[in-house]
Amino acid sequence: MNTEQFESASVPDNETFRLENSYALDATVDGTLMAKAGSMVAYTGDLSFTGQASAEGGITGFLKEAATNEGTPVMAVEGSGTVYLADHGKKVQVLTLNDGDAITVNGEDVLAFESEVDYEISTIDSLAGSFAGGFTNVYLQGPGSVAITTHGDPIVVEPPVSTDPAATVAWSGTAPNVEVNRSLSDMVGQESGERYQMEFGGSDGFVVVQPYEEL
């Protein structure tokens, strides 16, 4: 996929998504759209909003119960109309996934995606000591469009690179190994003197980070 999409404020020609401004997504619904639960700020037309607890409609994926603090709450927006989506003042990025393109996104940073996009939600359990319930991520495979959010302007880097899980937004064409850097003391907020890091190896793909650490 074209990483220049992260560097441009413009949105590719798209019948579904367009930016209302840097912090709000204007999404046209004609059928079904998947969105982060709680992200709707306004809508017009005849739309319904239904929480998704399992895969439906040929979409691959699963969702763990929200009560366990695991998984990514997803809702299906169905009907005909326009929905406006936002997430705590975070900036919105719209990505176009061609057939075969795939990206893995931190579950906190998925805002919406077209129903044609296949998705699978999972956790990196080795990060359970740093994140309640582990680190939840969503694998998204095109074709279709995806909207993600970032605190501030995203930074796109190529592997090999090590990142802070709390600042890691997405990756494609590479996969992380979780390591503990014992040389970092509690001066960086780790009472145990340990620090989790995501190490992306190889020379292909890219990693997206943000100038912010998710709580």
Side-chain angles (χ1 to χ4, degrees):
M1 61 183 295
N2 185 0
T3 59
E4 292 180 358
Q5 296 179 80
F6 291 97
E7 302 169 1
S8 174
S10 62
V11 177
D13 291 339
N14 189 298
E15 295 181 355
T16 303
F17 295 151
R18 68 174 181 270
L19 294 182
E20 186 68 19
N21 55 48
S22 297
Y23 312 100
L25 181 71
D26 177 338
T28 300
V29 183
D30 184 12
T32 302
L33 176 76
M34 307 303 294
K36 184 175 184 178
S39 63
M40 186 274 289
V41 296
Y43 72 91
T44 62
D46 183 13
L47 298 177
S48 64
F49 303 85
T50 307
Q52 299 295 291
S54 61
E56 293 182 12
I59 301 172
T60 61
F62 66 91
L63 174 65
K64 296 184 179 179
E65 294 295 332
T68 66
N69 293 323
E70 297 183 37
T72 299
V74 174
M75 63 182 178
V77 185
E78 298 175 295
S80 178
T82 299
V83 62
Y84 299 89
L85 305 171
D87 187 14
H88 295 87
K90 296 165 69 175
K91 299 192 74 170
V92 180
Q93 303 276 334
V94 175
L95 310 176
T96 298
L97 301 180
N98 296 320
D99 191 11
D101 284 348
I103 189 169
T104 301
V105 184
N106 182 333
E108 287 294 321
D109 302 318
V110 176
L111 183 62
F113 52 93
E114 293 182 297
S115 60
E116 293 82 3
V117 174
D118 285 341
Y119 76 98
E120 182 176 354
I121 301 172
S122 61
T123 59
I124 300 178
D125 293 334
S126 55
L127 287 173
S130 183
F131 295 86
F135 183 87
T136 303
N137 54 77
V138 186
Y139 176 83
L140 300 156
Q141 184 173 8
S145 293
V146 174
I148 68 174
T149 57
T150 61
H151 288 278
D153 293 325
I155 303 166
V156 182
V157 292
E158 296 179 356
V161 63
S162 297
T163 67
D164 182 336
T168 305
V169 174
W171 59 89
S172 178
T174 182
N177 289 317
V178 177
E179 301 290 343
V180 176
N181 188 331
R182 301 178 186 276
S183 67
L184 296 178
S185 69
D186 57 7
M187 67 179 291
V188 293
Q190 299 296 317
E191 294 181 357
S192 66
E194 298 180 351
R195 180 81 165 179
Y196 287 99
Q197 293 181 336
M198 300 177 76
E199 295 188 353
F200 295 88
S203 58
D204 298 324
F206 61 88
V207 182
V208 182
V209 295
Q210 62 187 355
Y212 181 90
E213 293 185 2
E214 297 279 2
L215 297 177

